[in-house]
Structure formats: C-alpha cells, structure tokens
Amino acid sequence: MPGEDPRNAGKAVSGGRNDSSNRRFSLRGKRVWRQFAARLVGSTAILPVTTLVALAQEAPKKAIASIGTVEVIQLAVSVGVMGAALISAIVLIRERQRTAAENAQLRTRIADVNASLQRSEALLNLRDQRIVVWTSENKKPEIIGSLPLDTGAPDDRAAFLAFGRWLMPRSAAALEHGLAALREKGTGFELVAETQTGAPIEIHGRKSAAHALVRFLSLSETQRSQARLKLENQRLAAEHETLLGLCNALNMPLWLRSADGRLKWVNRAYAEAVEVADPDEAVRKEKEFLGSQSLDAISDQHKAHAVFEQTLSTVIEGDRRKFTVTDFSGSEGSAGLACDVSAIETVREEYERTVRSHADTLDQLNTAVAIFDTDQKLRFFNQAFQKLWSLDTAFLHSGPDHAMLLDRLRSEGKLAEQPEWRRWKDTLLSAYRSLEPQEHWWHLPDGKTIRVVANPQPKGGVTWVFENLTEKIDLESRYQTAVRVQGETLDNLAEGVAVFGPDGRLRLSNPAFATLWGLDPDTILPNSHVSVVRDLCDRRAKDSPWNGFVAAITGFDDERRDRHGQTELNSGSVLRYAVIHLPNGQVMTTFVDVTDSVNVERALKDKNEALLRSDQLKNEFVQHVSYELRSPLTNIIGFTELLSLPATGPLSTRQREYVEHIGSSSSVLLTIVNDILDLATVDAGIMQLEISEVQVDRAISSAAELVAERLQEHAIKLEINAATAPASFHGDEVRVRQILYNLLINAANYAPESSTVTLTCRQTAGGIEFSVHDDGPGMPPDVLDLVFHRFESRVNGGRRRGAGLGLSIVKSFVELHGGSVRIETGKGKGTTVVCVFPDQPSGVREAAE
C-alpha cells in the first residue's frame, strides 16, 4: 500500500511465514500424539507402568524435533492427563478386586454374627434377667430382657429406669452410687438389692470399651434366701457402722463391755474423759470412767435388773461432775452411756430456787394468782388466791381441773349465777386456746368486784390474776365524793383558800378568798398569775405579805417551809394567813378573818396583865401578912413556954390547961403560916433545894417523933417498914422530913382509933419510894380530884378540919425533887399516899399550882 513503512511490511510477511509453520507443527504434533496414545492404549493391558512411563517420555522426544514450543506444552498436558487417568483406572481395578474379596469375608462373618446374636437375644430375653446398656455417646440406654412379675420390677422402660420407684431407698441409693462410679470411672460393682415388694435381686455392673452394662438378675428361692441374708447383713453392717460413727461422734462417754466385764469398745468422748490419746488406748489400758463404788453399784443392780439408770458423780479434769449413767446388760456383755448433767443440775437448782423465790414473792402479794397447765390443771396458787375463795388447801394441792374449780365455786355460792352457765364457762376457758390476754370483770355475791386477767403462756397453760378492786372502786367513789364534798366545803368555808401551781398560776380559790380581800370575783379567774393577784391585794393591805407569797410560790425562796403570819387591811380587818407547801409542788395560801379574835385577845391581854398584877399583890400581901404574923406568934409561943416553967410561978390546973392550949394552937398557926410562906416561895419560883445525902432512918425517926404525940392521943400505932430501903439518898433533908410529917399528920387525922398507920420505904427501879397507909374511910372520887388543890379542906371522916395545904406542900416539894406523888384509895381499903424520889435529883423544878 502506498504510504506504509517498508519495515512493517516485512514483519507482516515474516508473521505469515511463522503462522503457517505453526500450523504445520500443530498438525504433525497431533498425529504423533495420536499414534503414541494408540500404542499406549493398545499396550496398557500388557505393558507395565514403567514401560508406559518410558513411552510417554519417549514420545515427546521424537516429536520435539518436529514440533514447536506450544505443541510441546499441549502434548505434555495431554500426556499428564492420560497418565493420571490410566493410573486411576489401574488403582480402581485393583481396589475392586480387594473389595470383592473382603465383601465375601464380611458376608461370612455377618452370617456368623447374626447366628450368635439370635442365640444371645434368645438367652437375654429369658424372664430372669434384664440388661441396661449405655453407649459411649451418652445416648439413651437400651434395655434387654425382663424380670419376673413377683420381683416388682416394671416392664415400662421409663418406669424401670426410675430405680427409686421400685427399689427400696437404701438399694436405690447404692445402685445410683454404683452407676455413677461405673460410668465415670469404669469401676464395676456387684450388689444385692431389695425391691419394694421385698424380693431380692442381684445387680452386676461392668464397663467395656464402648458400653456400660448393668445386669439385673432374678434369683431362685435358695439364692433369694442367701440374698436376703446378704441384704440383712449389709443392712446390719451399715447400721452398725452408722451407730458406731454416731456413738463416736457423741459428746457423751459410751462404752461396750464383754461378758467378763472388760472394756471392748469406747468412743472418743470416753477417751477424752479418761485423758488418753485415743479410744484404743483406753481399751488397752482399761481406763475406767467411773469409780469403783459406781461400778460395784452397776454390777449389783444388774443382778436383779438388766437396765441401770442413776445419776452418779465422777472426777473429770480435776472437777467433780454429775452424769446420768444408763447401762444395759445382755447375755454377751453390756453397754453404757453417761450424759453430763452438771450444767443441767446447776440450771435445775437455779430454776428451783427461782421458782421458790417467785412463789414466795407471789405469796406476799395481796393479788390472787393461779397458774393452770395445758391440761387446765391447777399447778400453782398463792395464799391470796386461797384466802379470796376460802378453799381447802388440800383440795387446791390436788391439782383440780379449772372447770371443776368453777363448778365448785358456783355450787358454794361464791360466783354469781349466769343466765347461760355453760356458755359463760366455755367463753372463760377459751383463754387456753387464745394467744392474747383476756380480761373479765366478776361481781361476786358477797359484793366484791374482781378484775380477772387471763395471760396465756408461751409453752401452754394460762396464768390467772384475780385483782380485788372492791376497795379501789370504793376508794375512787369515796375520793370522788370527797372531792365534791371538799369543793362544796371550800366554797362554803369562811376561811379563804387559794392554791397556786408550780408555774405561779392560780389553780383554785373559794369565794371567801375574794370576800376577805374585798376583790371582785370576776377578777380572780383560774390560771391568773400570782403577780396579778398580788397587785390587786397590795392596794388593800397596810403591810402586804404578798411579796413573800410570790417568792414562795414561784420558787425564788430556796427554803420550802411553811409560814404563818398576820396582816391588817386598810378596812381595819385583821387576816391571819398560812403558806403551806403541798407535795406536788403546789402552794396553798389560807386566810382567816381574826378581827374579833384579835380584839378579844387584846382585851384578854389587858385583863391578864391586871390579874398578874393582882396576883403579885396577893403574893406580896400573903408574904407580908405571914411575916407579920410570925413575930407575934413567936412571942406568944415564947411567953407560953415561959409561963409553963416553974420559975415563973405555980399555975393552977385550969391555968396550965389554958397555957398548953395556947401553945398548941400557936404551934398549929405557926405551921400554917410556914406552909403559906413555903407555897408562896414555890409560886414565886425562888425556892432552892439544899441537896445533900439524906439518911433514911434519921428522916423517918424525926418525922415520927413530931407526930408521936398526935398518934398517942388516939392510940394509933406507927409501923415502919424500911428493911429494903437504902441507907441514904440525895435530897433536901428538911423538905423530906416536912413531907413525911405532913403525910403522917394526914394519916393520923383519918386513921380510926387504936388502928395502925404504916410508913414504908423501899428501893424501886425508879428511885426510892415512901408510902404512908391508913385504914380510914378512903377518898371518894370527887375528893380525890381536888385533894392536891390548895385550901381544899374537907372533913370526910377526919377528926380535924385543916387549912388544906398539907398534900399541896407534899406534891410541890416532891416534884421539886423531880419525883411524883400518887394516891391509892378505895372504899373499905383505906388510903395510901406514895411519894417517889429519884436516886439523883435532876434539879429544882417548878411546882404545880
């Protein structure tokens, strides 16, 4: 073509030559390959593999010279494929030949296995065994064969595999345990199991490479008997092992002895109690837990009884403890058990002490308490319960039934009649079935009101509390009545009352309070503060005490003490007040109008002052007159004695009688004057006793001499009893002699003619006692009340009427000594005046008027 490059044209020509040569090579290669393949195929049945490989290697060499690269590659691929196909065909032919030979052998073996299988199935399907097979793939087990109906084994597959439903629990547990060991560890087992119908069967477990088999065998009668014995032996062995394990685990010493009494077995607690390392050592060393006396007691008891049960003491680790020992003796030995009850005994003793203490405490209560047990039997009652119902103690101690007790109380009329007695009683006894306390109120026929509380106990039974509220209700009623009465009384009292609380607020007041203070009742209201009341009252009093009241009421006065006083109002009224602290912190103020009393008191004071002045004038007059009388009396007595002397001159009989009469009368008058002076001195409080040691004999003899003449005039004897008198005592000897003289003169005046006056002196626990007795007519009660009054002179059977000062002087002088005077008299008994002097005078005392 015009315009082309000559070089490209050359390439195209060259390319054309190459394409044609390639086509020629390809045709020649194909022919050579076909010839080679034909030869190869024709000789495959004869030539060996090595020859074929050599031909395959030779063919390419011959063709290489005449073929190109592409044809060589194609030829190599074709040769490889054909070779592989050839080899595969050869291998396949040989494998078929081997397989045919093996199939023939397997058919022979399968026939043998089928025959064996038929024989095995015939044997397995007998009704005396059943086999369970588990594969290694953990599939569902296969069951072969069956068991007789009398074994109780179910035919159903699922029911059979549920061993616990048709085997006894112990056998089922043993089988499950053996199966677990068989399937997990390959451990075989053999056991005799018992069905729930009581039939024994044997169970064998085996493990193969791929299966786990369990065989259940039914037994013949002989085998069953042996199996039952074996089962019983297994059971007994297991129970024996369990019992030994339990006994060894018990924290109580336990021992077994042989027939000769030697230890055969002990538990761990026994070994610890006898302080050895283990039980075997205790048996070997024959360590006894109990002492010899306890062992002898057990041995003696076993001679009569097989069982010994008693609480014994023994020493454990240095401490003596109590054990409840139970020992059983059999034909082949004995067994014993000891339970430590030391703590229990301690608790029991403490419990018994507590129960006794509670019982003693309940017996001291005034509230009746009764405790019934779960059977409604009386188990405890206190004295208040017995007194409340007045029941026989023996009957209560017999533990009567609660219903019986109620019926008895009803029959004795101690319970009120109920319209429906049975229903009422059932309602009451329902407390034994209740969990909550119940409360009842009983109104008894005798007027008592009883609050009955039934308290159920946690462990059964009921505690009944009978509270006698009669007095409480009566007191409450009386209290309410008293409150109302007090309210009415306060409202009607003339005395003003105001009560303030701890907060200073007015709690209550009566109308008299407002009236006395001239207050408007509307201004005195409850809860008014004391400061408000003070402001109202201060304006109405001259010297108001309300500041002190405020301090006492509000607590600013530290001393809670009652106080009394008097205040005058502007109106002239005088009020006497009292501040009284009540126990509950309240303060009560009371006001009384004492205006009239004050006026009367003032008048009485004026009159009393006038009387005192007149009494003083009287005493001064008596002293003055007595003193003035003593001087002329002394002169009269002196001149009378002078006239009686022979030196004065002879006197006629009549003159001498006159002179003696003048002397005796003057002496009596002097005595009266002296007595008046003594009493005036006593009244003035200026008499002083001259205390010294008084000789008893001398004082009695002096007084007796002074009255001897008076006694002789009437033939009266004086009897002196001083055997038990002390030799002396402390007192004023002059006044003691004066006391005895007055007592003897008084007795001589009333003693009958030719009678005896007795003067007795003796030592007593209270001091020294002087008594003068006469057999006169005695003193009537009206005279006895006035006998010690001054100038009370009555004849009353006496010979002379005196001035009435003798016994007054006696009483005054004895009381000055610190002693006492009493008179013992009666009609037909005479009169005895007793004066008691203390051993040591307590000092001068003021005489009674």
Side-chain angles (χ1 to χ4, degrees):
M1 294 182 64
E4 288 184 354
D5 191 351
R7 293 172 293 180
N8 293 335
K11 290 181 181 178
V13 175
S14 175
R17 291 195 298 268
N18 290 334
D19 291 338
S20 60
S21 64
N22 287 337
R23 285 192 296 269
R24 288 193 301 270
F25 172 78
S26 176
L27 292 174
R28 288 194 300 268
K30 290 180 181 179
R31 287 194 299 268
V32 174
W33 183 254
R34 282 193 296 269
Q35 293 174 0
F36 171 75
R39 293 174 60 191
L40 180 62
V41 172
S43 61
T44 53
I46 302 171
L47 298 176
V49 177
T50 56
T51 306
L52 293 175
V53 175
L55 290 175
Q57 292 176 354
E58 181 183 357
K61 290 179 180 179
K62 292 180 178 181
I64 288 175
S66 60
I67 61 176
T69 304
V70 176
E71 292 176 345
V72 171
I73 295 172
Q74 293 177 350
L75 180 60
V77 172
S78 299
V79 171
V81 172
M82 291 301 292
L86 182 59
I87 293 171
S88 298
I90 295 170
V91 173
L92 179 61
I93 292 170
R94 291 186 176 181
E95 185 66 28
R96 282 181 178 180
Q97 292 175 353
R98 188 180 61 81
T99 301
E102 290 180 354
N103 287 339
Q105 293 177 358
L106 289 176
R107 288 188 188 98
T108 302
R109 293 178 62 185
I110 288 172
D112 295 338
V113 169
N114 286 333
S116 177
L117 177 61
Q118 291 175 0
R119 289 192 302 269
S120 299
E121 288 181 351
L123 293 175
L124 292 176
N125 288 327
L126 295 176
R127 297 189 61 83
D128 60 353
Q129 64 180 352
R130 199 167 196 183
I131 300 174
V132 182
V133 181
W134 282 269
T135 63
S136 59
E137 291 82 5
N138 200 19
K139 295 180 180 179
K140 291 183 178 180
E142 182 181 357
I143 300 177
I144 303 171
S146 62
L147 293 173
L149 296 177
D150 59 355
T151 61
D155 289 334
D156 182 68
R157 179 180 181 279
F160 183 81
L161 293 176
F163 303 120
R165 296 184 180 179
W166 58 280
L167 290 177
M168 296 299 290
R170 183 188 300 274
S171 299
L175 177 57
E176 293 291 345
H177 180 73
L179 283 175
L182 177 67
R183 299 183 63 184
E184 294 175 3
K185 301 179 181 179
T187 304
F189 64 89
E190 291 184 5
L191 59 90
V192 177
E194 184 179 6
T195 64
Q196 293 187 357
T197 60
I201 59 173
E202 284 189 1
I203 305 175
H204 300 166
R206 296 293 183 269
K207 177 74 171 180
S208 66
H211 302 85
L213 298 93
V214 178
R215 183 183 181 187
F216 297 83
L217 293 174
S218 176
L219 305 176
S220 63
E221 288 299 326
T222 303
Q223 291 174 334
R224 286 185 180 184
S225 299
Q226 294 177 354
R228 287 192 181 96
L229 292 176
K230 188 175 181 180
L231 284 173
E232 185 67 18
N233 182 57
Q234 291 176 357
R235 184 179 62 80
L236 292 176
E239 291 178 354
H240 181 263
E241 188 69 22
T242 303
L243 287 176
L244 288 182
L246 175 62
C247 293
N248 202 42
L250 286 176
N251 195 22
M252 294 181 287
L254 188 146
W255 59 90
L256 298 176
R257 296 182 185 274
S258 59
D260 59 356
R262 299 171 66 87
L263 288 175
K264 186 167 61 176
W265 183 88
V266 297
N267 65 347
R268 177 185 50 81
Y270 186 102
E272 293 178 355
V274 297
E275 299 180 0
V276 295
D278 53 57
D280 294 336
E281 183 179 355
V283 174
R284 187 173 61 255
K285 294 183 177 180
E286 295 185 358
K287 289 285 189 178
E288 291 293 345
F289 172 73
L290 299 173
S292 58
Q293 293 182 353
S294 300
L295 293 176
D296 293 340
I298 295 174
S299 178
D300 295 339
Q301 180 74 15
H302 282 328
K303 294 178 181 178
H305 302 283
V307 178
F308 173 88
E309 186 173 4
Q310 191 175 337
T311 300
L312 302 175
S313 62
T314 186
V315 177
I316 304 296
E317 296 180 352
D319 296 331
R320 181 163 293 278
R321 301 182 186 176
K322 291 184 178 180
F323 289 83
T324 298
V325 178
T326 303
D327 195 280
F328 173 79
S329 177
S331 60
E332 298 297 329
S334 63
L337 176 68
C339 180
D340 190 352
V341 294
S342 301
I344 297 176
E345 290 295 329
T346 302
V347 172
R348 180 182 290 110
E349 293 174 0
E350 183 66 25
Y351 172 76
E352 291 176 353
R353 286 195 297 269
T354 303
V355 169
R356 288 194 298 270
S357 176
H358 288 177
D360 294 341
T361 302
L362 291 177
D363 277 339
Q364 302 302 320
L365 294 178
N366 293 326
T367 302
V369 178
I371 300 177
F372 292 80
D373 60 12
T374 54
D375 297 329
Q376 301 184 17
K377 299 289 186 181
L378 181 63
R379 287 293 173 261
F380 173 80
F381 65 92
N382 63 351
Q383 294 181 4
F385 179 83
Q386 190 270 334
K387 292 179 181 179
L388 174 64
W389 302 112
S390 300
L391 294 172
D392 185 16
T393 306
F395 169 73
L396 294 176
H397 281 300
S398 65
D401 182 80
H402 198 169
M404 181 191 303
L405 181 62
L406 292 175
D407 291 336
R408 175 164 178 173
L409 294 177
R410 179 195 181 193
S411 63
E412 294 180 357
K414 297 175 182 178
L415 287 180
E417 287 293 336
Q418 303 296 329
E420 297 183 8
W421 170 257
R422 186 177 299 277
R423 178 177 296 179
W424 180 85
K425 185 169 65 173
D426 292 342
T427 302
L428 187 68
L429 297 180
S430 65
Y432 291 94
R433 303 182 298 275
S434 175
L435 298 177
E436 299 295 332
Q438 296 183 5
E439 182 176 340
H440 308 275
W441 290 82
W442 293 358
H443 300 283
L444 304 184
D446 58 359
K448 294 179 182 178
T449 300
I450 306 297
R451 175 175 173 261
V452 182
V453 178
N455 185 22
Q457 299 300 318
K459 294 184 179 180
V462 178
T463 299
W464 295 84
V465 179
F466 302 86
E467 186 178 3
N468 189 353
L469 299 180
T470 307
E471 294 184 1
K472 180 180 179 181
I473 294 175
D474 181 60
L475 287 175
E476 289 180 353
S477 176
R478 291 166 59 186
Y479 172 76
Q480 296 296 334
T481 303
V483 169
R484 291 193 296 269
V485 170
Q486 288 176 359
E488 293 295 330
T489 303
L490 287 175
D491 290 343
N492 293 279
L493 278 179
E495 182 179 5
V497 177
V499 179
F500 296 87
D503 56 354
R505 300 286 178 179
L506 182 65
R507 292 289 184 266
L508 63 89
S509 63
N510 63 346
F513 174 75
T515 302
L516 291 176
W517 284 93
L519 302 175
D520 186 359
D522 296 335
T523 59
I524 306 300
L525 300 175
N527 290 326
S528 298
H529 198 268
V530 64
S531 59
V532 177
V533 180
R534 178 194 59 188
D535 295 339
L536 295 174
C537 295
D538 281 348
R539 296 193 292 267
R540 291 169 172 78
K542 295 180 179 178
D543 185 12
S544 177
W546 276 94
N547 288 329
F549 294 171
V550 172
I553 293 169
T554 57
F556 290 105
D557 187 359
D558 294 335
E559 296 184 5
R560 288 180 57 84
R561 53 186 177 84
D562 298 341
R563 63 182 67 179
H564 302 271
Q566 188 171 295
T567 184
E568 185 174 356
L569 303 184
N570 296 331
S571 61
S573 300
V574 179
L575 300 181
R576 184 179 298 278
Y577 63 83
V579 179
I580 302 172
H581 292 272
L582 302 178
N584 55 1
Q586 299 182 350
V587 178
M588 179 178 68
T589 58
T590 61
F591 303 90
V592 181
D593 188 353
V594 294
T595 305
D596 296 338
S597 300
V598 170
N599 293 334
V600 171
E601 182 181 356
R602 290 171 181 172
L604 289 175
K605 284 183 178 179
D606 295 340
K607 186 175 181 180
N608 186 56
E609 291 176 358
L611 290 174
L612 290 175
R613 287 194 298 271
S614 63
D615 186 65
Q616 184 177 0
L617 291 175
K618 179 200 71 172
N619 291 333
E620 292 176 354
F621 171 75
V622 169
Q623 292 179 5
H624 179 72
V625 171
S626 299
Y627 179 77
E628 294 298 329
L629 286 174
R630 291 180 68 178
S631 297
L633 282 175
T634 303
N635 295 330
I636 292 172
I637 293 172
F639 283 110
T640 302
E641 293 177 352
L642 183 61
L643 290 174
S644 299
L645 295 175
T648 308
L651 296 176
S652 64
T653 303
R654 182 177 296 274
Q655 290 175 341
R656 185 172 297 280
E657 291 177 357
Y658 290 160
V659 170
E660 291 177 356
H661 184 69
I662 292 172
S664 61
S665 298
S666 300
S667 299
V668 171
L669 182 59
L670 181 60
T671 301
I672 294 173
V673 172
N674 290 333
D675 290 343
I676 293 174
L677 288 176
D678 289 339
L679 290 174
T681 305
V682 171
D683 291 340
I686 59 177
M687 175 171 282
Q688 297 292 332
L689 297 177
E690 296 180 1
I691 302 300
S692 62
E693 188 172 359
V694 179
Q695 298 295 326
V696 174
D697 293 342
R698 186 172 61 189
I700 292 175
S701 60
S702 299
E705 290 177 359
L706 293 175
V707 298
E709 185 177 355
R710 178 75 63 87
L711 294 175
Q712 290 175 0
E713 289 180 3
H714 306 284
I716 298 175
K717 297 180 181 180
L718 177 62
E719 180 180 349
I720 299 175
N721 296 326
T724 59
S728 63
F729 70 99
H730 290 82
D732 189 330
E733 185 174 358
V734 175
R735 301 306 175 187
V736 171
R737 186 168 58 249
Q738 188 175 355
I739 291 170
L740 295 178
Y741 170 77
N742 286 334
L743 291 177
L744 292 174
I745 286 295
N746 185 71
N749 187 37
Y750 290 96
E753 296 284 343
S754 302
S755 63
T756 301
V757 174
T758 304
L759 172 61
T760 303
C761 180
R762 63 191 183 95
Q763 180 72 47
T764 63
I768 183 172
E769 180 182 284
F770 292 94
S771 62
V772 176
H773 174 76
D774 65 77
D775 295 329
M779 298 182 185
D782 57 337
V783 175
L784 188 61
D785 294 338
L786 303 174
V787 69
F788 292 112
H789 290 192
R790 298 173 186 176
F791 303 106
E792 288 290 337
S793 177
R794 298 185 182 184
V795 176
N796 192 31
R799 298 181 180 85
R800 298 182 182 178
R801 183 184 182 90
L805 297 176
L807 291 179
S808 297
I809 291 175
V810 169
K811 185 175 186 296
S812 297
F813 287 169
V814 171
E815 290 181 349
L816 280 175
H817 282 80
S820 62
V821 180
R822 69 178 187 274
I823 297 177
E824 299 173 356
T825 184
K827 187 175 181 181
K829 296 181 180 179
T831 301
T832 302
V833 182
V834 180
C835 300
V836 180
F837 293 87
D839 293 330
Q840 295 290 337
S842 58
V844 179
R845 295 177 54 194
E846 184 176 340
E849 293 183 0

